[in-house]
Structures are given as C-alpha cells and as structure tokens.
Amino acid sequence: MQISEKTLKTLEFDKIRAMLAACAPTEGAREQATSLTPSADVAEVLRRLRHTSDAKRLIEAKGMPSFGNVKDMSKILERAKLGAILTTRELLDVANLLRTTRSLLEYIRTNKLFETSLDEIFANLTPQRQVEEHITSAILAEDQIADNASPQLSDIRRKIRAANNKIKDLLSKYTGGAYSKYLQENIVTQRSGRYVIPVKIECKNDIKGLIHDTSASGATIFVEPYDVVEANNELRELESAEVHEIERILASLSSEVDGISEFIRQNYRNITELAFIFACGELSFRMKGIAPAISEEKSIFLRRARHPLIDKDKVVPVDIEIGRGRDTLIITGPNTGGKTVSLKTLGLLTLMAQAGLHIPVDESSEICVFDNVLADIGDEQSIEQSLSTFSAHMVNIVSMIKQITDRSLVLFDEIGVGTDPIEGAALAVAIIEAVRVKGAICAATTHYAELKAYALETEGVDNASCEFDIETLRPTYRLIIGTPGKSNAFAISEKLGLPAEIIERAKRLVSPDSRRFENVIEKLECSRIEMERDREEIARMRAEYEKFKAEAEKKLMERQKQAEAELERARARARAMVESARASSDFIFARLEKAKKEYESERSGQALERARQEIKAHLRAAADKYDPVDKPDDEDYRLPRPLGKGDLVYLRNLGSSGRVVELPDKSGSVMVEVGTARIRTNIKNLKLIEEGDDISSGQDMRQPQTGGHNPNLPREFSPEIDLRGMTGEEAWCVVDRYIDEAIMFGVGSVRLIHGKGTGALKNALWRFLRGDKRVANFRLGTYGEGDSGVTVLELK
C-alpha cells in the first residue's frame, strides 16, 4: 500500500524532499529527490539506509565525489540513433558524462579503505576513454573546433590563413599608397564575408571594383577592388569547405556516440543513482542524522528526536516510545506546548526512515516499517464544500479508518475537537478503540480529561505530556512519557491579563471531580519535576566522576608506559653491549687458537687456556648483569603477610630492592619506588625483606638502591689505560674489558697508552680494533695527547 501524497504533505515530507534536492549534484538526482516516496518493504528500507550510511562514510573519508552536473542523455541518444548530426554542445555533454564516469571509478578505487554496498553500482560504470578523447580533442568549446580535429580541416584552415594574408597584402596598396586619398579611412573591413575598403562617394570612379554597401550617411561606399575579387572568391570557397569538413567531423563523432549508446544510458542511470545516494549522505551530515535500527516488532523508540525542519539551535529534543505492550499514546498539555510538533516529529521521522534517509536522533533509536502512515493534523475547514472544522476532521477520519491495517501508524491531532466536549470526548475514545481493534499503532493529542482517564485505566494505552514550567508559565516543549498533562488554561489566561475575578469564577464552575483529577495531576507533575532535577544532578555528578576517573587512569597508563619503555631501552642497550662482547670474544678465540698452534710449549698453552676461561666468565657476568632473566628463582614463594606502605621489598625480575608506595589493587598490581623511579609490578614478583634477611643474590637488600649505578662496577673510571710492557694478546684482553666498562659508564672517548717503541703493541691493538663493532673510529694521539704513543678511541 502506498502512502498518500496528502499524508506526505500533512507531515511536511515535501519539505524534506526539497532539502534533499538542494543537496543533489545533478538534475537527475534532483528529480529523484523531489519524487522520493517511503517504502513499506523492510528489505528495501534496509538497502536504502545502508546506501545512505555508506555514502556518508565515503564523504567523511574522501569527500564528496565530482558528478560534473551530467545531463539526461535520452534525447541526445535518440537523435544520434536517427542519424542526426549532434551539436557541439550535445557532444560536449556526452564527453562530460564519460569523463565523470572515469572520475567516479578513480574516486572509489583510489585509497580504498573499506568495502561498501555502493561498490556494485560503481562497478557497473563503463568508461569509454577513446570516444571521450575523440570528442574533447576535436571540440575545444561550444563554438570552437580544433585545427587538428582532422588533417583535412588543418589543411583548409592553413590555406584560409594564407588567403587572408594575400588579400590584406593586395589591399595594403590602397590603404598605404597613392589611393589612400580616395578613402574615407585607411582600413580594410568586410561586407557580406568579403574584404572591402571604404571609398569616399565622390571618388567612386577613381577605384574600380564592386560596390557591396553604402554607409548610413551616404558619404561612404564599400568597394571590393577588381584585383582582389579572385582572392575573395578563393577565400569563400575555402570557408565553405571548412563548414563541410566540420559537419563531417561532427557526423563522425555522432556516429561514435550512437555506437556506445547503451553504455552511455547505463552510465547515466548509475551516475544518477550514485548522485542521489550521495545527496542522502550529505543531507545526513547537514541534519546530524543517523540510521535508526529497524525493529521487527511493532514498536518505535526515538531517543532525543529533533524535528528536522526546526532550527537545530532552537529545537528541543524529545523521547518518544510506543509499542511493546503499549500500542497507543495520548499526548496532553497546554496550547503551544509542543503536542503537534511531537506528533509530526513521530510521523515525519518514520516517513524519512522508510524512505532510506537518516533521521536526527541518538544512536539507541529504533523504528519499525509500516505499510501505511495515516494522519489527521490541522484544520481542514472548507467553505466550498460546506465543511466545518469538525466535519472536515470526520471526513478525513472516515477515510483513514477504511485504510487502517495491523501494520499502520495512525496520528490524530486534537481528536474529537470542534463539537460538544462530552460527545467529542466519547467519540474520540470510540475512534481510538476502533484503531486498536485493528492492531495499528496510534498517537493522539487532546485536551480532554476523559482521554487522560481512559489512558490511565486502559492497558496498552499510555499518557504523555508536554512539560509546562509552573514558575515561568512557559512550555519547555519536552515530552514526558507516562504522565498526563494539564492544559493550564487558567494559568495561561491569567498571564495574558484576564481579570483575576473571572479566573476565580471559572475555577468554581469546574466540577469537584474534575478539580480533584487536575489537582492529582498537578501534584504528580511537581513530584516528577523534583525527581527529574535530582536525576539530572546525579547524572551531572556521575559524569564529573567518570571524567576524573578517565583522566586519572590515562595519566597512570602514560606513566606506566613510560617506565616500561625506559626499562626496555635499558635492556636493549645491555643486550647490544653483550652482543658486542660476544662478537669480540669470537675474534679473540680465533686469535687464541691461532696463537696456540704457533706456541708449542706447555706453559704457553696453559696461559692461553686461562685467558679463554677468563673471557667466558666475563661474558657470563655481563649477560647476567645487563640482561636479567624475568623468571624468579623461587616460584613457589608466598608473602608471609599483607604488604603495607613503606615495606622494603625485593623485585625478583629486576634483582633490585625498593619500597612499597601504593598498596596492591584487586588485580594484584602494586607501585614500588626503586631509587628515584617508580615501577608498577605484580605482587607475585615481590619478596618481603624483613630485618636480617639475606637475599640469594649475595647483595644486602635491606636498603633500597639509590641512583642507577651498578654496585658491581668500579666507583671511578679513568679515561685512559696504560698497556706498556704487555704483549699484544695480553693488552687486548685488558682493552676488551676496559671498552665494556667505558660503554657502561657512558664514556664516549678513551685513550690507550701503548708507548712508541717498535710499534708492535700498537699494531697488534689496531688489528683487533678494526674488527670491533663497539669502536666508531680510532686514531693516534696529537700533540698534548701523547703523540704516537697513544691511540684515541671514539666509542659508539
């Protein structure tokens, strides 16, 4: 069943169409926008919403694609099919469509970030680069054909230029020679496409030629001298040949267009569809809309719904909920309080969602698909048809009741108004009951107390009220579900200046039952407002707490990451040093093996073996110090008591001691101060240090370490070492360890004192240094550094 155009106009869907058309980049897309209708098919609604969402994602990621304002090709293609020669304007329009086709394919293929439901439409675009280039290279503008459009045209235009120059040369003797005295002006002009000169009327016999025109005053005649007639004739023939060649070129291009007419039609359809979908995405951006969830149940839940036609800086969001046990909503409240706007918001957003448009609501909103939306809103009084307000409403309602199904949304504004209040209220209740019997979802606005009572007493019918500020006597336009509203007629009349005695008299005329009912509603409203204020205050405090918590957790995580990064950098440096030492040892071992073969004595072999063992021990110590193993030696250890602030603990994975500065949390994470650094670790990694405890590492851990200096390193480091008197092998064993210590202390440059002598010790050291990856470069000392008796090392 199709939703009537009358309902679409009543709910102002035609204005949404106009907003969508304003976003459309092509004429075809604008036509689709102005004829858009909601769909009652769930699959179609989901497909449209998915298209809109994907277009919005693409606009957000890549911007709006260019659609080149392509035009409808149907008439152009029909003319080409009949063999007509297309105009330059029509051919340029075809080229524009082909260029846009290529541009859209580049848009979707370049920097493709994600798959979309629009990929299939893009894939149906078929570029025709050859025809596009033929047109654009031949036609430079609507009134300009390129010289290179064909070899023949190029040759003709070359001859035309030569003929023009020839004629101007022939006429130059008249404008610049003895004949110039017979001319009115020394110029060359044209009449009827032929070159002529302006001759004074009294000198017409002095220049022989053909007269083509006379000036308005009669003082000048325009003469084509006989000696340029032949040249002018030649020029006219060339110009005629040019026209025929251009027609031939346009005919050839028209034939090419006819040959790809089906591709052009398909491309136009796909471009128009994409342009319309991207217009839907652009509209979503403008009204800050989202795709609501589509519910399979008959229910609507709109969270912070905004009417899209009201200024977004002034509109008041409302929450609307119908369905899931409540099929009818009775909206009450004062005049100008927002009842009709709430009703229209419900109807209009439903129509927009079913048309595939995003709606201005919050993320948690959902809506169902109706097969029909029926609305009786506004005063449709007609003098021509002799219909009063009540009669006009009834005519419309009668028509609506005939169309209602169990999948309809029915909206009544001021139902039963315009007649006797008692009869009108009874009629309103009966109409609503008839709608409910048919299983439709219904929302109605009213001032009748009988309808408020009906909603309170009837299961499945709920009250809603448009909030009214008693203190300012102004509506807030908020819709409150579950509470009936007061009309506040007395309060509004008093504010508008009605005398107090009239208002008091009116209050006395109200029946006691009605007064009691209104008083109950007023008390409920006051209680609700107070609860609402308390809830808002709680929500504000909770938001502040969540913000503070998030900021604190963020800072904590940042500090923890910094500590972990610093620790990892230190370990990486240590590993690099150990790798360097290993590389050096490999080189040393090779040298030792070679030396061992050269020395046959048993004593030399023993000395070399001792050197080998010392080097291995050195490497093991370095690896243990600078690449500690995270596994604790005693995995079964349990703390003898709960930790307290200030407790001295041993960090098993670092081999360091520290003090507890923050107690463990639920996950067992605890903050420990080690020297000047604070480290977060798991409680399982800690050993409690009591007075007199002896840690297995051999270090006294009862006092935490301060500073980053390794206790196993010497307290002072000399930037030079004296190697004089040692052999090359002995000196290198000492230098190898010395370089490691220099790197550990962060020293960048050291001096090796080897003396001048024969240079043997220096040469042996330099052989080792050339293969050492720890050394950036080395050189002999300069004056003041020890000259050639010293080698200066620059370490990495």
Side-chain angles (χ1 to χ4, degrees):
M1 184 180 296
Q2 189 173 2
I3 298 172
S4 69
E5 197 63 33
K6 180 181 178 182
T7 297
L8 297 179
K9 189 171 183 179
T10 298
L11 294 173
E12 299 180 288
F13 187 73
D14 56 322
K15 295 180 181 178
I16 299 298
R17 287 169 169 168
M19 291 174 65
L20 180 60
C23 298
T26 70
E27 189 61 40
R30 285 189 283 274
E31 290 177 3
Q32 281 197 26
T34 54
S35 61
L36 178 65
T37 56
S39 172
D41 181 71
V42 175
E44 176 64 15
V45 170
L46 289 171
R47 186 186 70 85
R48 292 184 183 183
L49 287 173
R50 191 160 50 248
H51 281 173
T52 302
S53 297
D54 285 344
K56 187 175 181 180
R57 288 173 65 201
L58 286 169
I59 293 172
E60 192 171 23
K62 298 184 174 186
M64 188 79 164
S66 172
F67 288 94
N69 194 25
V70 297
K71 298 179 181 179
D72 187 0
M73 296 285 109
S74 56
K75 292 182 179 179
I76 294 176
L77 296 179
E78 189 63 31
R79 291 187 63 232
K81 184 179 180 180
L82 295 174
I85 298 177
L86 301 181
T87 65
T88 54
R89 177 71 269 163
E90 290 172 330
L91 288 168
L92 288 174
D93 288 341
V94 171
N96 179 52
L97 183 140
L98 296 177
R99 182 169 51 251
T100 301
T101 300
R102 191 164 42 81
S103 171
L104 288 172
L105 283 172
E106 291 175 359
Y107 171 85
I108 197 63
R109 291 171 179 172
T110 305
N111 297 326
K112 191 171 181 64
L113 304 173
F114 43 78
E115 302 293 328
T116 74
S117 59
L118 304 180
D119 290 349
E120 184 178 353
I121 305 175
F122 277 105
N124 289 332
L125 294 171
T126 308
Q128 298 292 326
R129 187 67 175 264
Q130 186 176 11
V131 176
E132 176 196 343
E133 290 180 348
H134 285 174
I135 295 174
T136 54
S137 62
I139 305 175
L140 302 180
E142 190 172 349
D143 58 351
Q144 186 178 3
I145 304 297
D147 288 356
N148 60 356
S150 74
Q152 295 86 343
L153 182 63
S154 178
D155 183 60
I156 291 170
R157 286 186 172 174
R158 181 181 57 77
K159 291 178 178 178
I160 288 175
R161 287 191 292 272
N164 278 313
N165 291 333
K166 178 181 177 182
I167 293 171
K168 289 176 182 178
D169 288 342
L170 290 172
L171 291 176
S172 63
K173 71 176 182 179
Y174 292 97
T175 58
Y179 292 98
S180 61
K181 62 184 178 182
Y182 304 126
L183 304 184
Q184 199 71 259
E185 292 180 84
N186 292 331
I187 61 171
V188 175
T189 185
Q190 281 189 324
R191 286 295 186 272
S192 302
R194 301 180 73 88
Y195 285 100
V196 295
I197 53 176
V199 179
K200 296 175 183 178
I201 186 67
E202 62 272 17
C203 302
K204 65 179 180 178
N205 294 324
D206 296 305
I207 297 179
K208 304 300 181 182
L210 302 176
I211 299 175
H212 286 276
D213 198 4
T214 306
S215 66
S217 64
T220 306
I221 57 174
F222 296 93
V223 176
E224 177 185 5
Y226 286 132
D227 49 0
V228 298
V229 170
E230 187 61 33
N232 267 327
N233 289 340
E234 182 184 353
L235 178 62
R236 293 300 295 271
E237 289 175 1
L238 289 171
E239 289 174 345
S240 177
E242 179 188 27
V243 170
H244 285 99
E245 180 58 21
I246 289 174
E247 287 182 356
R248 189 196 67 77
I249 292 169
L250 296 180
S252 175
L253 293 174
S254 301
S255 177
E256 287 189 57
V257 169
D258 181 49
I260 61 167
S261 59
E262 286 307 312
F263 293 113
I264 295 174
R265 285 193 179 91
Q266 178 180 312
N267 286 340
Y268 177 74
R269 286 193 298 268
N270 289 316
I271 290 172
T272 301
E273 185 176 4
L274 286 170
F276 171 75
I277 293 170
F278 274 92
C280 295
E282 178 63 24
L283 181 63
S284 176
F285 269 113
R286 294 187 184 184
M287 63 174 55
K288 297 180 179 178
I290 60 115
I294 300 299
S295 173
E296 294 181 359
E297 302 178 18
K298 280 195 304 181
S299 63
I300 298 174
F301 177 59
L302 300 178
R303 174 71 174 161
R304 293 185 59 78
R306 285 93 65 193
H307 196 291
L309 299 178
I310 300 177
D311 188 339
K312 59 177 178 287
D313 296 326
K314 297 179 180 179
V315 66
V316 178
V318 295
D319 294 343
I320 303 175
E321 185 173 4
I322 313 178
R324 294 177 182 169
R326 296 180 299 183
D327 56 23
T328 301
L329 192 65
I330 304 297
I331 305 173
T332 53
N335 286 318
T336 70
K339 299 189 302 297
T340 303
V341 171
S342 298
L343 199 67
K344 282 189 171 184
T345 300
L346 170 60
L348 181 56
L349 296 192
T350 299
L351 294 176
M352 288 176 63
Q354 291 189 208
L357 301 177
H358 285 183
I359 58 177
V361 294
D362 279 6
E363 291 287 347
S364 55
S365 301
E366 66 177 40
I367 206 164
C368 68
V369 176
F370 295 98
D371 63 6
N372 204 353
V373 177
L374 302 163
D376 177 53
I377 298 175
D379 187 357
E380 299 189 14
Q381 182 175 359
S382 172
I383 296 175
E384 290 87 353
Q385 299 181 22
S386 301
L387 293 177
S388 65
T389 298
F390 176 75
S391 299
H393 277 294
M394 280 302 108
V395 168
N396 196 28
I397 290 172
V398 168
S399 174
M400 289 167 58
I401 290 175
K402 293 177 181 178
Q403 302 176 57
I404 293 173
T405 68
D406 63 344
R407 295 292 298 185
S408 295
L409 173 63
V410 184
L411 307 173
F412 295 113
D413 185 31
E414 301 290 357
I415 185 171
V417 75
T419 188
D420 178 77
I422 296 175
E423 292 182 357
L427 196 57
V429 171
I431 291 170
I432 289 174
E433 286 181 342
V435 173
R436 297 189 67 214
V437 166
K438 293 193 174 188
I441 296 291
C442 177
T445 66
T446 186
H447 286 284
Y448 291 142
E450 290 85 348
L451 282 178
K452 302 176 190 178
Y454 172 74
L456 290 171
E457 297 167 355
T458 308
E459 185 178 355
V461 182
D462 209 351
N463 271 303
S465 60
C466 289
E467 189 179 53
F468 188 81
D469 193 330
I470 302 297
E471 296 177 0
T472 63
L473 296 179
R474 290 180 179 275
T476 65
Y477 303 105
R478 293 177 58 206
L479 186 66
I480 311 302
I481 304 293
T483 304
K486 289 184 62 178
S487 295
N488 293 294
F490 296 152
I492 294 172
S493 299
E494 184 177 8
K495 184 174 178 63
L496 293 174
L498 192 67
E501 60 272 15
I502 296 177
I503 293 173
E504 289 301 320
R505 174 59 181 162
K507 289 180 179 179
R508 290 194 296 272
L509 292 174
V510 177
S511 67
D513 289 342
S514 295
R515 277 203 303 272
R516 282 194 296 273
F517 183 73
E518 290 295 323
N519 288 336
V520 169
I521 292 177
E522 186 173 348
K523 289 178 181 179
L524 286 172
E525 180 68 7
C526 291
S527 299
R528 186 199 61 75
I529 291 173
E530 189 66 29
M531 291 173 62
E532 189 76 17
R533 287 174 180 169
D534 291 343
R535 189 174 68 177
E536 289 177 355
E537 180 64 18
I538 292 170
R540 184 188 64 78
M541 294 174 65
R542 181 177 180 82
E544 289 181 358
Y545 164 74
E546 292 291 343
K547 181 180 178 182
F548 173 78
K549 180 182 176 184
E551 290 177 352
E553 289 178 348
K554 182 180 178 181
K555 289 180 181 178
L556 191 62
M557 290 296 294
E558 287 176 354
R559 289 179 180 175
Q560 185 173 351
K561 287 179 179 178
Q562 288 174 358
E564 291 174 354
E566 188 64 33
L567 185 60
E568 183 57 35
R569 281 195 294 271
R571 288 185 176 181
R573 184 179 178 87
R575 283 193 293 269
M577 291 192 301
V578 171
E579 287 299 324
S580 176
R582 285 188 180 131
S584 299
S585 71
D586 289 342
F587 181 75
I588 292 170
F589 288 160
R591 296 292 298 171
L592 289 174
E593 288 293 338
K594 181 178 179 181
K596 189 173 182 179
K597 292 177 181 178
E598 294 176 355
Y599 293 98
E600 299 296 333
S601 70
E602 182 180 351
R603 184 177 176 184
S604 296
Q606 291 175 351
L608 292 172
E609 186 60 33
R610 279 198 306 274
R612 180 195 295 271
Q613 296 301 324
E614 287 176 1
I615 292 171
K616 287 184 176 179
H618 166 73
L619 292 176
R620 283 196 297 270
D624 290 340
K625 271 191 265 182
Y626 301 109
D627 195 13
V629 179
D630 289 338
K631 293 182 180 178
D633 296 332
D634 45 356
E635 296 184 358
D636 297 331
Y637 174 80
R638 295 291 183 272
L639 290 170
R641 63 174 174 80
L643 291 175
K645 282 189 177 180
D647 280 348
L648 189 62
V649 292
Y650 176 66
L651 285 79
R652 292 185 284 176
N653 66 329
L654 297 180
S656 303
S657 63
R659 290 195 184 276
V660 176
V661 294
E662 187 177 302
L663 295 180
D665 58 18
K666 293 180 180 179
S667 64
S669 179
V670 60
M671 183 74 77
V672 179
E673 187 174 57
V674 180
T676 58
R678 291 192 173 192
I679 299 173
R680 182 168 291 280
T681 187
N682 194 279
I683 193 170
K684 296 178 181 179
N685 185 41
L686 302 179
K687 292 181 71 173
L688 183 65
I689 300 176
E690 302 286 5
E691 187 68 26
D693 281 354
D694 182 28
I695 301 304
S696 59
S697 65
Q699 298 179 29
D700 183 4
M701 303 306 296
R702 286 175 292 176
Q703 292 299 324
Q705 297 177 20
T706 58
H709 181 64
N710 190 313
N712 291 332
L713 294 176
R715 294 296 176 180
E716 295 181 359
F717 180 82
S718 173
E720 63 182 23
I721 185 170
D722 193 345
L723 307 170
R724 288 175 292 187
M726 299 182 188
T727 65
E729 300 291 347
E730 292 171 340
W732 178 246
C733 288
V734 174
V735 169
D736 185 38
R737 183 180 181 89
Y738 178 70
I739 291 174
D740 282 341
E741 291 178 355
I743 291 173
M744 292 174 193
F745 273 89
V747 177
S749 176
V750 294
R751 289 181 294 166
L752 308 181
I753 302 174
H754 44 66
K756 298 179 181 179
T758 62
L761 179 56
K762 182 206 75 170
N763 292 335
L765 289 173
W766 280 33
R767 283 196 302 272
F768 291 125
L769 291 173
R770 288 190 185 98
D772 196 325
K773 296 181 179 178
R774 297 168 295 175
V775 179
N777 57 69
F778 57 90
R779 60 178 173 80
L780 287 174
T782 60
Y783 179 77
E785 291 180 323
D787 297 325
S788 60
V790 172
T791 295
V792 179
L793 305 187
E794 298 293 336
L795 303 180
K796 293 182 179 178

